[in-house]
Amino acid sequence: MQKLLATIKKDLRILTRDRIGLILMFLMPVVLAIVITVVQNSTFELVNNNKISLIISNRDTGDAAKQLTAAIQKVGMFNVELIPANETYKQISDRMSPKDALVAIVIPDNFSAQLEAKAKNITAQALKDVAVGEPKTDSNSVQSDKLESITLYYHPVLQSSFRQSIQGALKSTLQIVQSREVVRKLYQTLNDQQIPDTLETQIISNQAEINEIPVSRDGNRAIPNASQHNIPAWTVFAMFFVVISLGASVVREKLSGSFVRLKTLPTNYLVALLSKQITYITVTFLQALVIFSIGVLLFPVLGLPKLNLPSDLFGLVLVTLISGWCASSYAICIGVFAKTQEQSNGIGAVSIVLLAAIGGILVPAFAMPSSFQVIMQISPLHWCLEAYYGLFLEGGKLSDILINILPLLIITIVIQLITLVGLKRKNLI
């Protein structure tokens, strides 16, 4: 026991002298957690709260085009600006270039006439099918079942997901306008009079409501925020980045001959390995404590959503300790097989980024192609993140995340065995 305590004391001294390593282990993940949460929270607010700037060039003077413009303004998703109908593509592009508007819509000049003709055709077909009779039609009306396309211009900075959201909102608005015109024509044909406004509103607005409820094991229906997603992810990332400090420390001891000197002493290098693991498990636990504290205490001050800790604090502590054990084991393994500190730092940093990418930290697991679903299982960061998400997002308890902890333990033991094999082959133990 005295040998172990002395070795831990030695490792702590080495650690405190590694200022660059301490910065990477503590400052970098804090900055990443804050920056990524700010960006993601701003994205959520853009979709949910803020309005997207949109300009409309209405080249049609009919009622349907005016209704479409009014319906778009009522959506609540856009900050609408009406521009002259005679503006060219170049003028519209010039308006959008400085990002004054991210989206522009051009309504064609015959939109209302075509929509009315389509509504009449649908009404005639519907009444014919039910054998009510042929409605009165205007021989001069435009007979077309297909509306001329509404042109949508978008700024290149808009990503595909935003464009799809915008298109979905516009298509829903257009569908409402088309349905309203069909209802009007059908009612007018059957009753020889205009449909009352109250009845029209009742028919068009009679839609089922969508009640959003996040799935949760503990029955808590609070919607997870950006902090709940980002803080656990970057905590795991920070833990595994101890490879920079710990891996380099192992390499230095190999190059300086410390391993050989230890073999001449009445002790075993396994004691030194155990000491390093205890030291860096403590470091990773402190990393998690610092990052979680920032999410709870600092984020509300910065205007970011507060991190809500899970109800099962024992499960949170256990997941943190096991994740730290896996991270320190991986770092020691890299240090044992690397021949120089440059190799240890380079291989360690790149491998952690790759494991984070395939593990669901840089890209959500559900968004990955099916071919990566199997590869994902070999990343220890994936199982760490899933265990944290089971507590933070799903409201689970320790019993619920055992299915994630067990693979993490297996991976850790495999890494430990690989490290021992490497030490024996190098005659270091």
Side-chain angles (χ1 to χ4, degrees), residues 232-268:
W234 296 111
T235 299
V236 172
F237 191 74
M239 287 180 178
F240 278 83
F241 242 85
V242 299
V243 69
I244 300 296
S245 178
L246 179 51
S249 174
V250 174
V251 173
R252 280 196 301 269
E253 290 186 354
K254 288 195 304 179
L255 297 179
S256 65
S258 297
F259 281 16
V260 178
R261 287 195 296 270
L262 283 172
K263 292 177 70 174
T264 65
L265 298 176
T267 185
N268 194 311

PDB file of all heavy atoms in Angstrom, residues 232-268:
ATOM      1  N   PRO A 232     -22.854  16.016 -21.648  1.00  0.00           N
ATOM      2  CA  PRO A 232     -22.351  14.639 -21.536  1.00  0.00           C
ATOM      3  C   PRO A 232     -21.405  14.269 -22.673  1.00  0.00           C
ATOM      4  O   PRO A 232     -20.394  13.595 -22.457  1.00  0.00           O
ATOM      5  CB  PRO A 232     -23.631  13.789 -21.575  1.00  0.00           C
ATOM      6  CG  PRO A 232     -24.715  14.709 -21.140  1.00  0.00           C
ATOM      7  CD  PRO A 232     -24.336  16.056 -21.665  1.00  0.00           C
ATOM      8  N   ALA A 233     -21.726  14.713 -23.897  1.00  0.00           N
ATOM      9  CA  ALA A 233     -20.911  14.346 -25.054  1.00  0.00           C
ATOM     10  C   ALA A 233     -19.492  14.884 -24.924  1.00  0.00           C
ATOM     11  O   ALA A 233     -18.506  14.146 -25.101  1.00  0.00           O
ATOM     12  CB  ALA A 233     -21.561  14.869 -26.331  1.00  0.00           C
ATOM     13  N   TRP A 234     -19.359  16.156 -24.574  1.00  0.00           N
ATOM     14  CA  TRP A 234     -18.019  16.742 -24.505  1.00  0.00           C
ATOM     15  C   TRP A 234     -17.311  16.372 -23.207  1.00  0.00           C
ATOM     16  O   TRP A 234     -16.082  16.483 -23.120  1.00  0.00           O
ATOM     17  CB  TRP A 234     -18.112  18.246 -24.695  1.00  0.00           C
ATOM     18  CG  TRP A 234     -18.620  18.565 -26.069  1.00  0.00           C
ATOM     19  CD1 TRP A 234     -19.825  19.103 -26.403  1.00  0.00           C
ATOM     20  CD2 TRP A 234     -17.950  18.307 -27.308  1.00  0.00           C
ATOM     21  NE1 TRP A 234     -19.950  19.195 -27.766  1.00  0.00           N
ATOM     22  CE2 TRP A 234     -18.817  18.711 -28.348  1.00  0.00           C
ATOM     23  CE3 TRP A 234     -16.709  17.766 -27.638  1.00  0.00           C
ATOM     24  CZ2 TRP A 234     -18.470  18.593 -29.683  1.00  0.00           C
ATOM     25  CZ3 TRP A 234     -16.371  17.646 -28.975  1.00  0.00           C
ATOM     26  CH2 TRP A 234     -17.253  18.070 -29.982  1.00  0.00           C
ATOM     27  N   THR A 235     -18.029  15.929 -22.218  1.00  0.00           N
ATOM     28  CA  THR A 235     -17.381  15.374 -21.028  1.00  0.00           C
ATOM     29  C   THR A 235     -16.665  14.078 -21.377  1.00  0.00           C
ATOM     30  O   THR A 235     -15.513  13.858 -20.975  1.00  0.00           O
ATOM     31  CB  THR A 235     -18.421  15.123 -19.919  1.00  0.00           C
ATOM     32  OG1 THR A 235     -19.047  16.361 -19.564  1.00  0.00           O
ATOM     33  CG2 THR A 235     -17.765  14.535 -18.686  1.00  0.00           C
ATOM     34  N   VAL A 236     -17.332  13.221 -22.132  1.00  0.00           N
ATOM     35  CA  VAL A 236     -16.709  11.972 -22.578  1.00  0.00           C
ATOM     36  C   VAL A 236     -15.489  12.272 -23.450  1.00  0.00           C
ATOM     37  O   VAL A 236     -14.425  11.657 -23.304  1.00  0.00           O
ATOM     38  CB  VAL A 236     -17.735  11.110 -23.341  1.00  0.00           C
ATOM     39  CG1 VAL A 236     -17.053   9.898 -23.971  1.00  0.00           C
ATOM     40  CG2 VAL A 236     -18.856  10.659 -22.415  1.00  0.00           C
ATOM     41  N   PHE A 237     -15.643  13.223 -24.356  1.00  0.00           N
ATOM     42  CA  PHE A 237     -14.538  13.606 -25.237  1.00  0.00           C
ATOM     43  C   PHE A 237     -13.336  14.092 -24.418  1.00  0.00           C
ATOM     44  O   PHE A 237     -12.186  13.751 -24.706  1.00  0.00           O
ATOM     45  CB  PHE A 237     -15.017  14.701 -26.192  1.00  0.00           C
ATOM     46  CG  PHE A 237     -14.056  15.005 -27.309  1.00  0.00           C
ATOM     47  CD1 PHE A 237     -13.895  14.131 -28.364  1.00  0.00           C
ATOM     48  CD2 PHE A 237     -13.319  16.170 -27.296  1.00  0.00           C
ATOM     49  CE1 PHE A 237     -13.005  14.412 -29.398  1.00  0.00           C
ATOM     50  CE2 PHE A 237     -12.429  16.467 -28.318  1.00  0.00           C
ATOM     51  CZ  PHE A 237     -12.277  15.583 -29.373  1.00  0.00           C
ATOM     52  N   ALA A 238     -13.607  14.886 -23.388  1.00  0.00           N
ATOM     53  CA  ALA A 238     -12.534  15.413 -22.537  1.00  0.00           C
ATOM     54  C   ALA A 238     -11.844  14.292 -21.778  1.00  0.00           C
ATOM     55  O   ALA A 238     -10.612  14.287 -21.625  1.00  0.00           O
ATOM     56  CB  ALA A 238     -13.110  16.437 -21.561  1.00  0.00           C
ATOM     57  N   MET A 239     -12.626  13.340 -21.281  1.00  0.00           N
ATOM     58  CA  MET A 239     -12.034  12.226 -20.540  1.00  0.00           C
ATOM     59  C   MET A 239     -10.997  11.476 -21.378  1.00  0.00           C
ATOM     60  O   MET A 239      -9.891  11.181 -20.927  1.00  0.00           O
ATOM     61  CB  MET A 239     -13.129  11.251 -20.096  1.00  0.00           C
ATOM     62  CG  MET A 239     -14.009  11.745 -18.966  1.00  0.00           C
ATOM     63  SD  MET A 239     -15.239  10.486 -18.566  1.00  0.00           S
ATOM     64  CE  MET A 239     -16.083  11.271 -17.211  1.00  0.00           C
ATOM     65  N   PHE A 240     -11.355  11.174 -22.610  1.00  0.00           N
ATOM     66  CA  PHE A 240     -10.462  10.379 -23.444  1.00  0.00           C
ATOM     67  C   PHE A 240      -9.277  11.192 -23.955  1.00  0.00           C
ATOM     68  O   PHE A 240      -8.295  10.616 -24.408  1.00  0.00           O
ATOM     69  CB  PHE A 240     -11.235   9.748 -24.602  1.00  0.00           C
ATOM     70  CG  PHE A 240     -11.954   8.487 -24.218  1.00  0.00           C
ATOM     71  CD1 PHE A 240     -13.195   8.545 -23.601  1.00  0.00           C
ATOM     72  CD2 PHE A 240     -11.385   7.245 -24.427  1.00  0.00           C
ATOM     73  CE1 PHE A 240     -13.859   7.386 -23.222  1.00  0.00           C
ATOM     74  CE2 PHE A 240     -12.033   6.079 -24.059  1.00  0.00           C
ATOM     75  CZ  PHE A 240     -13.273   6.149 -23.440  1.00  0.00           C
ATOM     76  N   PHE A 241      -9.355  12.510 -23.856  1.00  0.00           N
ATOM     77  CA  PHE A 241      -8.226  13.321 -24.290  1.00  0.00           C
ATOM     78  C   PHE A 241      -7.109  13.348 -23.247  1.00  0.00           C
ATOM     79  O   PHE A 241      -6.086  14.023 -23.459  1.00  0.00           O
ATOM     80  CB  PHE A 241      -8.674  14.739 -24.638  1.00  0.00           C
ATOM     81  CG  PHE A 241      -8.426  15.073 -26.090  1.00  0.00           C
ATOM     82  CD1 PHE A 241      -9.342  14.719 -27.063  1.00  0.00           C
ATOM     83  CD2 PHE A 241      -7.260  15.699 -26.472  1.00  0.00           C
ATOM     84  CE1 PHE A 241      -9.103  15.006 -28.391  1.00  0.00           C
ATOM     85  CE2 PHE A 241      -7.007  15.982 -27.799  1.00  0.00           C
ATOM     86  CZ  PHE A 241      -7.929  15.640 -28.768  1.00  0.00           C
ATOM     87  N   VAL A 242      -7.259  12.620 -22.139  1.00  0.00           N
ATOM     88  CA  VAL A 242      -6.127  12.467 -21.220  1.00  0.00           C
ATOM     89  C   VAL A 242      -5.023  11.649 -21.869  1.00  0.00           C
ATOM     90  O   VAL A 242      -3.922  11.554 -21.327  1.00  0.00           O
ATOM     91  CB  VAL A 242      -6.555  11.798 -19.890  1.00  0.00           C
ATOM     92  CG1 VAL A 242      -7.590  12.632 -19.171  1.00  0.00           C
ATOM     93  CG2 VAL A 242      -7.053  10.376 -20.116  1.00  0.00           C
ATOM     94  N   VAL A 243      -5.314  11.079 -23.049  1.00  0.00           N
ATOM     95  CA  VAL A 243      -4.297  10.326 -23.776  1.00  0.00           C
ATOM     96  C   VAL A 243      -3.098  11.212 -24.095  1.00  0.00           C
ATOM     97  O   VAL A 243      -1.958  10.723 -24.194  1.00  0.00           O
ATOM     98  CB  VAL A 243      -4.906   9.720 -25.067  1.00  0.00           C
ATOM     99  CG1 VAL A 243      -5.239  10.805 -26.078  1.00  0.00           C
ATOM    100  CG2 VAL A 243      -3.952   8.700 -25.686  1.00  0.00           C
ATOM    101  N   ILE A 244      -3.322  12.532 -24.251  1.00  0.00           N
ATOM    102  CA  ILE A 244      -2.217  13.436 -24.562  1.00  0.00           C
ATOM    103  C   ILE A 244      -1.219  13.469 -23.410  1.00  0.00           C
ATOM    104  O   ILE A 244      -0.006  13.390 -23.607  1.00  0.00           O
ATOM    105  CB  ILE A 244      -2.741  14.852 -24.855  1.00  0.00           C
ATOM    106  CG1 ILE A 244      -3.704  14.836 -26.052  1.00  0.00           C
ATOM    107  CG2 ILE A 244      -1.592  15.816 -25.112  1.00  0.00           C
ATOM    108  CD1 ILE A 244      -3.065  14.416 -27.348  1.00  0.00           C
ATOM    109  N   SER A 245      -1.719  13.575 -22.189  1.00  0.00           N
ATOM    110  CA  SER A 245      -0.841  13.680 -21.024  1.00  0.00           C
ATOM    111  C   SER A 245      -0.368  12.310 -20.541  1.00  0.00           C
ATOM    112  O   SER A 245       0.832  12.086 -20.340  1.00  0.00           O
ATOM    113  CB  SER A 245      -1.568  14.401 -19.888  1.00  0.00           C
ATOM    114  OG  SER A 245      -0.763  14.470 -18.732  1.00  0.00           O
ATOM    115  N   LEU A 246      -1.302  11.376 -20.372  1.00  0.00           N
ATOM    116  CA  LEU A 246      -0.949  10.073 -19.809  1.00  0.00           C
ATOM    117  C   LEU A 246      -0.123   9.245 -20.784  1.00  0.00           C
ATOM    118  O   LEU A 246       0.855   8.593 -20.399  1.00  0.00           O
ATOM    119  CB  LEU A 246      -2.226   9.329 -19.414  1.00  0.00           C
ATOM    120  CG  LEU A 246      -2.060   7.934 -18.817  1.00  0.00           C
ATOM    121  CD1 LEU A 246      -1.061   7.942 -17.666  1.00  0.00           C
ATOM    122  CD2 LEU A 246      -3.411   7.391 -18.356  1.00  0.00           C
ATOM    123  N   GLY A 247      -0.499   9.258 -22.052  1.00  0.00           N
ATOM    124  CA  GLY A 247       0.261   8.497 -23.045  1.00  0.00           C
ATOM    125  C   GLY A 247       1.695   8.996 -23.149  1.00  0.00           C
ATOM    126  O   GLY A 247       2.650   8.209 -23.209  1.00  0.00           O
ATOM    127  N   ALA A 248       1.848  10.316 -23.149  1.00  0.00           N
ATOM    128  CA  ALA A 248       3.198  10.889 -23.222  1.00  0.00           C
ATOM    129  C   ALA A 248       4.001  10.550 -21.973  1.00  0.00           C
ATOM    130  O   ALA A 248       5.221  10.335 -22.044  1.00  0.00           O
ATOM    131  CB  ALA A 248       3.105  12.407 -23.396  1.00  0.00           C
ATOM    132  N   SER A 249       3.335  10.499 -20.823  1.00  0.00           N
ATOM    133  CA  SER A 249       4.026  10.156 -19.572  1.00  0.00           C
ATOM    134  C   SER A 249       4.573   8.738 -19.627  1.00  0.00           C
ATOM    135  O   SER A 249       5.714   8.478 -19.204  1.00  0.00           O
ATOM    136  CB  SER A 249       3.064  10.307 -18.393  1.00  0.00           C
ATOM    137  OG  SER A 249       3.649   9.856 -17.190  1.00  0.00           O
ATOM    138  N   VAL A 250       3.793   7.807 -20.158  1.00  0.00           N
ATOM    139  CA  VAL A 250       4.249   6.418 -20.275  1.00  0.00           C
ATOM    140  C   VAL A 250       5.436   6.331 -21.228  1.00  0.00           C
ATOM    141  O   VAL A 250       6.431   5.625 -20.961  1.00  0.00           O
ATOM    142  CB  VAL A 250       3.092   5.516 -20.750  1.00  0.00           C
ATOM    143  CG1 VAL A 250       3.593   4.094 -21.017  1.00  0.00           C
ATOM    144  CG2 VAL A 250       1.969   5.487 -19.720  1.00  0.00           C
ATOM    145  N   VAL A 251       5.368   7.064 -22.335  1.00  0.00           N
ATOM    146  CA  VAL A 251       6.470   7.046 -23.305  1.00  0.00           C
ATOM    147  C   VAL A 251       7.744   7.613 -22.684  1.00  0.00           C
ATOM    148  O   VAL A 251       8.840   7.069 -22.865  1.00  0.00           O
ATOM    149  CB  VAL A 251       6.085   7.839 -24.568  1.00  0.00           C
ATOM    150  CG1 VAL A 251       7.297   7.976 -25.502  1.00  0.00           C
ATOM    151  CG2 VAL A 251       4.945   7.150 -25.300  1.00  0.00           C
ATOM    152  N   ARG A 252       7.626   8.701 -21.938  1.00  0.00           N
ATOM    153  CA  ARG A 252       8.805   9.299 -21.293  1.00  0.00           C
ATOM    154  C   ARG A 252       9.468   8.313 -20.332  1.00  0.00           C
ATOM    155  O   ARG A 252      10.696   8.235 -20.250  1.00  0.00           O
ATOM    156  CB  ARG A 252       8.402  10.577 -20.546  1.00  0.00           C
ATOM    157  CG  ARG A 252       8.247  11.796 -21.437  1.00  0.00           C
ATOM    158  CD  ARG A 252       8.248  13.075 -20.622  1.00  0.00           C
ATOM    159  NE  ARG A 252       7.164  13.080 -19.628  1.00  0.00           N
ATOM    160  CZ  ARG A 252       5.951  13.555 -19.843  1.00  0.00           C
ATOM    161  NH1 ARG A 252       5.636  14.064 -21.046  1.00  0.00           N
ATOM    162  NH2 ARG A 252       5.032  13.536 -18.896  1.00  0.00           N
ATOM    163  N   GLU A 253       8.661   7.576 -19.590  1.00  0.00           N
ATOM    164  CA  GLU A 253       9.225   6.606 -18.655  1.00  0.00           C
ATOM    165  C   GLU A 253       9.931   5.474 -19.387  1.00  0.00           C
ATOM    166  O   GLU A 253      10.959   4.967 -18.913  1.00  0.00           O
ATOM    167  CB  GLU A 253       8.121   6.056 -17.755  1.00  0.00           C
ATOM    168  CG  GLU A 253       7.582   7.072 -16.759  1.00  0.00           C
ATOM    169  CD  GLU A 253       6.603   6.450 -15.783  1.00  0.00           C
ATOM    170  OE1 GLU A 253       6.272   5.264 -15.960  1.00  0.00           O
ATOM    171  OE2 GLU A 253       6.179   7.157 -14.848  1.00  0.00           O
ATOM    172  N   LYS A 254       9.413   5.101 -20.557  1.00  0.00           N
ATOM    173  CA  LYS A 254      10.099   4.072 -21.341  1.00  0.00           C
ATOM    174  C   LYS A 254      11.435   4.584 -21.861  1.00  0.00           C
ATOM    175  O   LYS A 254      12.454   3.897 -21.789  1.00  0.00           O
ATOM    176  CB  LYS A 254       9.219   3.630 -22.518  1.00  0.00           C
ATOM    177  CG  LYS A 254       8.021   2.794 -22.136  1.00  0.00           C
ATOM    178  CD  LYS A 254       7.431   2.108 -23.353  1.00  0.00           C
ATOM    179  CE  LYS A 254       7.068   3.107 -24.443  1.00  0.00           C
ATOM    180  NZ  LYS A 254       6.510   2.441 -25.630  1.00  0.00           N
ATOM    181  N   LEU A 255      11.417   5.794 -22.406  1.00  0.00           N
ATOM    182  CA  LEU A 255      12.634   6.346 -23.006  1.00  0.00           C
ATOM    183  C   LEU A 255      13.686   6.690 -21.961  1.00  0.00           C
ATOM    184  O   LEU A 255      14.891   6.632 -22.233  1.00  0.00           O
ATOM    185  CB  LEU A 255      12.289   7.598 -23.828  1.00  0.00           C
ATOM    186  CG  LEU A 255      11.365   7.370 -25.034  1.00  0.00           C
ATOM    187  CD1 LEU A 255      11.075   8.693 -25.743  1.00  0.00           C
ATOM    188  CD2 LEU A 255      11.980   6.376 -26.014  1.00  0.00           C
ATOM    189  N   SER A 256      13.258   7.066 -20.766  1.00  0.00           N
ATOM    190  CA  SER A 256      14.210   7.452 -19.717  1.00  0.00           C
ATOM    191  C   SER A 256      14.770   6.263 -18.960  1.00  0.00           C
ATOM    192  O   SER A 256      15.656   6.420 -18.106  1.00  0.00           O
ATOM    193  CB  SER A 256      13.529   8.404 -18.717  1.00  0.00           C
ATOM    194  OG  SER A 256      12.478   7.737 -18.035  1.00  0.00           O
ATOM    195  N   GLY A 257      14.249   5.085 -19.223  1.00  0.00           N
ATOM    196  CA  GLY A 257      14.746   3.893 -18.563  1.00  0.00           C
ATOM    197  C   GLY A 257      14.080   3.609 -17.222  1.00  0.00           C
ATOM    198  O   GLY A 257      14.567   2.750 -16.465  1.00  0.00           O
ATOM    199  N   SER A 258      13.000   4.298 -16.923  1.00  0.00           N
ATOM    200  CA  SER A 258      12.321   4.075 -15.635  1.00  0.00           C
ATOM    201  C   SER A 258      11.803   2.649 -15.527  1.00  0.00           C
ATOM    202  O   SER A 258      11.836   2.051 -14.443  1.00  0.00           O
ATOM    203  CB  SER A 258      11.171   5.070 -15.474  1.00  0.00           C
ATOM    204  OG  SER A 258      11.659   6.390 -15.431  1.00  0.00           O
ATOM    205  N   PHE A 259      11.343   2.094 -16.650  1.00  0.00           N
ATOM    206  CA  PHE A 259      10.831   0.731 -16.618  1.00  0.00           C
ATOM    207  C   PHE A 259      11.941  -0.249 -16.202  1.00  0.00           C
ATOM    208  O   PHE A 259      11.734  -1.162 -15.404  1.00  0.00           O
ATOM    209  CB  PHE A 259      10.298   0.344 -17.999  1.00  0.00           C
ATOM    210  CG  PHE A 259       8.938   0.903 -18.285  1.00  0.00           C
ATOM    211  CD1 PHE A 259       8.408   1.941 -17.531  1.00  0.00           C
ATOM    212  CD2 PHE A 259       8.183   0.390 -19.327  1.00  0.00           C
ATOM    213  CE1 PHE A 259       7.157   2.455 -17.807  1.00  0.00           C
ATOM    214  CE2 PHE A 259       6.928   0.900 -19.603  1.00  0.00           C
ATOM    215  CZ  PHE A 259       6.424   1.941 -18.846  1.00  0.00           C
ATOM    216  N   VAL A 260      13.114  -0.050 -16.767  1.00  0.00           N
ATOM    217  CA  VAL A 260      14.234  -0.954 -16.465  1.00  0.00           C
ATOM    218  C   VAL A 260      14.663  -0.823 -15.004  1.00  0.00           C
ATOM    219  O   VAL A 260      14.939  -1.817 -14.316  1.00  0.00           O
ATOM    220  CB  VAL A 260      15.418  -0.652 -17.402  1.00  0.00           C
ATOM    221  CG1 VAL A 260      16.619  -1.553 -17.057  1.00  0.00           C
ATOM    222  CG2 VAL A 260      15.013  -0.852 -18.856  1.00  0.00           C
ATOM    223  N   ARG A 261      14.713   0.416 -14.492  1.00  0.00           N
ATOM    224  CA  ARG A 261      15.115   0.627 -13.096  1.00  0.00           C
ATOM    225  C   ARG A 261      14.102   0.006 -12.141  1.00  0.00           C
ATOM    226  O   ARG A 261      14.465  -0.528 -11.088  1.00  0.00           O
ATOM    227  CB  ARG A 261      15.253   2.129 -12.815  1.00  0.00           C
ATOM    228  CG  ARG A 261      16.493   2.741 -13.463  1.00  0.00           C
ATOM    229  CD  ARG A 261      16.796   4.117 -12.871  1.00  0.00           C
ATOM    230  NE  ARG A 261      15.745   5.070 -13.162  1.00  0.00           N
ATOM    231  CZ  ARG A 261      15.720   5.838 -14.231  1.00  0.00           C
ATOM    232  NH1 ARG A 261      16.686   5.731 -15.147  1.00  0.00           N
ATOM    233  NH2 ARG A 261      14.734   6.706 -14.411  1.00  0.00           N
ATOM    234  N   LEU A 262      12.809   0.088 -12.504  1.00  0.00           N
ATOM    235  CA  LEU A 262      11.779  -0.498 -11.645  1.00  0.00           C
ATOM    236  C   LEU A 262      11.939  -2.011 -11.539  1.00  0.00           C
ATOM    237  O   LEU A 262      11.615  -2.614 -10.511  1.00  0.00           O
ATOM    238  CB  LEU A 262      10.381  -0.154 -12.182  1.00  0.00           C
ATOM    239  CG  LEU A 262       9.871   1.275 -11.899  1.00  0.00           C
ATOM    240  CD1 LEU A 262       8.576   1.534 -12.636  1.00  0.00           C
ATOM    241  CD2 LEU A 262       9.678   1.490 -10.401  1.00  0.00           C
ATOM    242  N   LYS A 263      12.449  -2.639 -12.604  1.00  0.00           N
ATOM    243  CA  LYS A 263      12.629  -4.090 -12.581  1.00  0.00           C
ATOM    244  C   LYS A 263      13.723  -4.511 -11.603  1.00  0.00           C
ATOM    245  O   LYS A 263      13.775  -5.662 -11.162  1.00  0.00           O
ATOM    246  CB  LYS A 263      12.947  -4.592 -13.989  1.00  0.00           C
ATOM    247  CG  LYS A 263      11.765  -4.461 -14.948  1.00  0.00           C
ATOM    248  CD  LYS A 263      12.130  -4.904 -16.349  1.00  0.00           C
ATOM    249  CE  LYS A 263      12.327  -6.406 -16.401  1.00  0.00           C
ATOM    250  NZ  LYS A 263      12.544  -6.897 -17.780  1.00  0.00           N
ATOM    251  N   THR A 264      14.632  -3.584 -11.268  1.00  0.00           N
ATOM    252  CA  THR A 264      15.701  -3.887 -10.320  1.00  0.00           C
ATOM    253  C   THR A 264      15.290  -3.646  -8.877  1.00  0.00           C
ATOM    254  O   THR A 264      16.044  -3.962  -7.951  1.00  0.00           O
ATOM    255  CB  THR A 264      16.943  -3.031 -10.627  1.00  0.00           C
ATOM    256  OG1 THR A 264      16.626  -1.644 -10.419  1.00  0.00           O
ATOM    257  CG2 THR A 264      17.400  -3.233 -12.070  1.00  0.00           C
ATOM    258  N   LEU A 265      14.095  -3.058  -8.689  1.00  0.00           N
ATOM    259  CA  LEU A 265      13.622  -2.739  -7.346  1.00  0.00           C
ATOM    260  C   LEU A 265      12.653  -3.809  -6.864  1.00  0.00           C
ATOM    261  O   LEU A 265      12.049  -4.537  -7.669  1.00  0.00           O
ATOM    262  CB  LEU A 265      12.932  -1.371  -7.347  1.00  0.00           C
ATOM    263  CG  LEU A 265      13.814  -0.168  -7.741  1.00  0.00           C
ATOM    264  CD1 LEU A 265      12.980   1.104  -7.799  1.00  0.00           C
ATOM    265  CD2 LEU A 265      14.972   0.006  -6.754  1.00  0.00           C
ATOM    266  N   PRO A 266      12.449  -3.920  -5.549  1.00  0.00           N
ATOM    267  CA  PRO A 266      11.513  -4.926  -5.003  1.00  0.00           C
ATOM    268  C   PRO A 266      10.052  -4.490  -5.159  1.00  0.00           C
ATOM    269  O   PRO A 266       9.322  -4.311  -4.181  1.00  0.00           O
ATOM    270  CB  PRO A 266      11.923  -5.002  -3.527  1.00  0.00           C
ATOM    271  CG  PRO A 266      12.455  -3.650  -3.223  1.00  0.00           C
ATOM    272  CD  PRO A 266      13.172  -3.206  -4.460  1.00  0.00           C
ATOM    273  N   THR A 267       9.661  -4.253  -6.381  1.00  0.00           N
ATOM    274  CA  THR A 267       8.283  -3.881  -6.672  1.00  0.00           C
ATOM    275  C   THR A 267       7.945  -4.364  -8.076  1.00  0.00           C
ATOM    276  O   THR A 267       8.791  -4.944  -8.769  1.00  0.00           O
ATOM    277  CB  THR A 267       8.083  -2.351  -6.581  1.00  0.00           C
ATOM    278  OG1 THR A 267       6.700  -2.037  -6.770  1.00  0.00           O
ATOM    279  CG2 THR A 267       8.899  -1.624  -7.646  1.00  0.00           C
ATOM    280  N   ASN A 268       6.744  -4.124  -8.503  1.00  0.00           N
ATOM    281  CA  ASN A 268       6.287  -4.563  -9.812  1.00  0.00           C
ATOM    282  C   ASN A 268       5.748  -3.366 -10.568  1.00  0.00           C
ATOM    283  O   ASN A 268       5.100  -2.492  -9.984  1.00  0.00           O
ATOM    284  CB  ASN A 268       5.194  -5.632  -9.653  1.00  0.00           C
ATOM    285  CG  ASN A 268       4.918  -6.361 -10.957  1.00  0.00           C
ATOM    286  OD1 ASN A 268       4.733  -5.753 -12.004  1.00  0.00           O
ATOM    287  ND2 ASN A 268       4.905  -7.692 -10.886  1.00  0.00           N
TER     288      ASN A 268
END
